[in-house]
Amino acid sequence: MKILIIGAYGTFGSRLSQLLANKSQLTLFIAGRSIKHAEQFCKTIDKNVAKILPLYFDRNDLEIEKRLKSIQPDIVIDATGPFQFYGNDPYHVVKACLATSTNYMDLADGTQFVKDISQFDSQAKSKNLFLLSGVSTCPVLTATVVRSLTKGLHEIHSIKGGIAPSPYVNIGPNVIRAITSYAGQPMSVVRHRQLIIRYGLTETMRYTISPPGYLPLKNRRFSLVDVPDYQILRDLWPNINSIWFGAGTIPESLHRLLNYFAWLVRLRLFPNLSSFSSIIQQVMNNIRWGERRGGMFISIEGINNQGHTYERSWHLIAEGDIGPFIPTLGIDAIIHRILNGKIPTSGARAATTDLELEDYDNLFKKLGIITGQRESINKTNTSLTLYQKLLDQAWYQLPYSLQRMHSYTTNTIVAGIAKVERGTSITSKLIAMLFRFPQAGQEIPVQVVFKPNIKGELWTRTFAGRSFSSWQMEGHGRSDKLLNERFGPFTFGLALVINSEKLYLIVRNWSFLGIPLPSFLAPNGISYEYDNNGQFCFNVEIKHRLTGLIVRYSGWLEKA
């Protein structure tokens, strides 16, 4: 099968080319307006089993039909963009594909472009062709996720979503051009079951992307972006009350600066940001810090047949620089289906119903991308304990002894034996004394009293008659989906991470009297719970880069 990829060496086209190069049944034309760049890129594709051919191809060529007839591809993939700037004849390539009886797909995220491709539906069906638009993160992946989340629900009221790219991924010029084109400009979004006007990058929300049992992204600020989903998803769910999509770029200081300039445009104090797109790209690609990981979330609210309100969310985390592959996975999945005899139905449309989440899941696993779902009924469920709520579906990955220890709903005493080590520096000794941490020793009797209530759990630990307490509760705001543990005036946001049947508690943020403190100055250490032949065991380590070890205690507990 011959596939012509226009823009094949660009930001997303290059990722798609790398994925498709692993399929021996394919001949790939690596096409663009520079044959030199196409040839250079072909040399960089590793371990390819497909036939790779560089090709000069200009999508704006007036003789594009003639070019397609000479190449005779089975499928044309447009990976160029930005689709918001395709001029007076945006469907130039689509029309050429119709004229030459060639199937077509694209990575478009321009609202009008994706929606209006349906004008060619009857022509495509008459020629038994498929013309699929928006086969990218938005709207195809988002629609596929929403369709999965809504199974079993009678009504769906709202959809929220966001993309949080890694700060270390280079952002291409076409992406920046698209963002600056709508920053502060009017755009149509869904509110109160209607399309109303809002302004790009001037509305914000915070969200924590957190697949259950996996290290979450730090809580991010998301700003309203223009995506086809407002209209495309509304076509799938006509009675939906609201749809909101945002981008959560970091560093947050630059994100807030972009919000500020968007407001200047919104207030007509500035015409637009398009003329600054190259400067914005340079700043975002050179001033960056934070974790080298990105993610995505989709959250819905709906009602089942029994009238219960559900909130369900889907979370994705991509480590390292894998994130830019995600927009290309839809096309990769469709090509995989075609090679297995599952050809898309003929017609011209946004490809929102052409894939299932399982198609994506197989590709996520190959790339090491982590996904998971969370669910709550009426947003509060008093029948669940604190750790059950936070771990959600990952709760069932815990060994039974850990589940039992975190299932107590009434005042409970557990006891056991522990070994305690203390730091030797003066500062570490002062901190240990201030928080009443236990003295060093072997075979120390330990008792823990749990006092749970609707707000959280009070843990009182007693080592050889010396006690200290902490209050554990569900985090909110910047600590959303974290376990907040408060020691006096200090509160620590802890991620609950399951790895090799151990439950790790990892510090993600901290505060003093509610005032956030710098994360790089937070105490750290390796703390986890584990099972040993059916017995609950623990290892708690508290240290700091300025003091070294403060305290480390390990041992076992059982109900007294």
Side-chain angles (χ1 to χ4, degrees), residues 175-279:
V175 174
I176 297 296
R177 285 181 65 197
I179 293 171
T180 56
S181 71
Y182 61 72
Q185 303 289 354
M187 47 182 272
S188 296
V189 301
V190 180
R191 297 286 191 282
H192 311 297
R193 299 189 178 185
Q194 296 180 346
L195 286 173
I196 66 171
I197 297 298
R198 287 292 185 266
Y199 296 84
L201 303 185
T202 62
E203 290 185 6
T204 63
M205 65 172 285
R206 302 200 71 91
Y207 198 86
T208 300
I209 297 174
S210 178
Y214 193 75
L215 185 68
L217 293 188
K218 291 190 175 180
N219 183 263
R220 289 205 190 186
R221 176 187 180 94
F222 289 83
S223 293
L224 184 71
V225 294
D226 188 16
V227 291
D229 303 63
Y230 302 117
Q231 298 193 39
I232 302 299
L233 297 190
R234 185 170 178 252
D235 290 341
L236 295 176
W237 293 279
N239 294 321
I240 193 161
N241 188 57
S242 67
I243 301 175
W244 197 98
F245 275 88
T249 57
I250 54 174
E252 189 168 313
S253 55
L254 295 182
H255 188 142
R256 289 179 177 272
L257 188 61
L258 196 56
N259 292 149
Y260 171 76
F261 283 112
W263 268 104
L264 292 181
V265 176
R266 163 72 178 90
L267 297 173
R268 299 183 181 180
L269 299 175
F270 221 73
N272 58 67
L273 298 184
S274 296
S275 57
F276 296 95
S277 59
S278 60
I279 297 175

Side-chain angles (χ1 to χ4, degrees), residues 56-69:
Y56 170 80
F57 193 96
D58 185 352
R59 71 175 315 282
N60 297 315
D61 192 336
L62 295 178
E63 297 186 348
I64 188 172
E65 289 182 25
K66 185 177 180 181
R67 293 297 314 278
L68 290 181
K69 287 178 180 178

Side-chain angles (χ1 to χ4, degrees), residues 288-327:
R288 44 196 178 186
W289 61 83
E291 297 176 324
R292 203 179 194 101
R293 53 210 306 258
M296 174 182 173
F297 80 92
I298 300 292
S299 174
I300 69 160
E301 288 189 15
I303 297 177
N304 68 2
N305 291 327
Q306 287 73 45
H308 296 138
T309 300
Y310 277 77
E311 180 180 3
R312 293 174 178 170
S313 57
W314 176 87
H315 303 250
L316 175 151
I317 289 182
E319 302 290 352
D321 299 329
I322 294 297
F325 281 95
I326 295 171

Side-chain angles (χ1 to χ4, degrees), residues 249-423:
T249 57
I250 54 174
E252 189 168 313
S253 55
L254 295 182
H255 188 142
R256 289 179 177 272
L257 188 61
L258 196 56
N259 292 149
Y260 171 76
F261 283 112
W263 268 104
L264 292 181
V265 176
R266 163 72 178 90
L267 297 173
R268 299 183 181 180
L269 299 175
F270 221 73
N272 58 67
L273 298 184
S274 296
S275 57
F276 296 95
S277 59
S278 60
I279 297 175
I280 293 172
Q281 182 190 8
Q282 290 180 33
V283 171
M284 295 185 72
N285 286 342
N286 289 283
I287 301 177
R288 44 196 178 186
W289 61 83
E291 297 176 324
R292 203 179 194 101
R293 53 210 306 258
M296 174 182 173
F297 80 92
I298 300 292
S299 174
I300 69 160
E301 288 189 15
I303 297 177
N304 68 2
N305 291 327
Q306 287 73 45
H308 296 138
T309 300
Y310 277 77
E311 180 180 3
R312 293 174 178 170
S313 57
W314 176 87
H315 303 250
L316 175 151
I317 289 182
E319 302 290 352
D321 299 329
I322 294 297
F325 281 95
I326 295 171
T328 69
L329 295 182
I331 289 181
D332 188 25
I334 290 176
I335 296 296
H336 179 78
R337 288 171 66 93
I338 292 172
L339 293 175
N340 285 280
K342 300 177 181 178
I343 300 173
T345 305
S346 62
R349 61 188 177 275
T352 51
T353 58
D354 286 87
L355 291 170
E356 299 299 330
L357 192 53
E358 291 76 14
D359 295 311
Y360 278 100
D361 286 339
N362 294 329
L363 299 175
F364 290 151
K365 289 177 183 177
K366 290 180 181 178
L367 292 173
I369 294 172
I370 303 299
T371 63
Q373 295 186 18
R374 292 180 175 272
E375 179 175 297
S376 63
I377 305 175
N378 298 323
K379 295 191 176 181
T380 58
N381 191 339
T382 56
S383 66
L384 299 178
T385 64
L386 176 61
Y387 280 67
Q388 284 177 305
K389 290 179 183 177
L390 291 170
L391 285 169
D392 205 277
Q393 295 180 6
W395 168 261
Y396 302 101
Q397 299 174 26
L398 290 178
Y400 175 70
S401 62
L402 273 65
Q403 289 185 4
R404 181 177 56 203
M405 188 62 66
H406 294 294
S407 294
Y408 298 124
T409 57
T410 59
N411 293 354
T412 304
I413 299 175
V414 296
I417 298 295
K419 171 187 175 182
V420 181
E421 302 172 68
R422 288 274 291 266

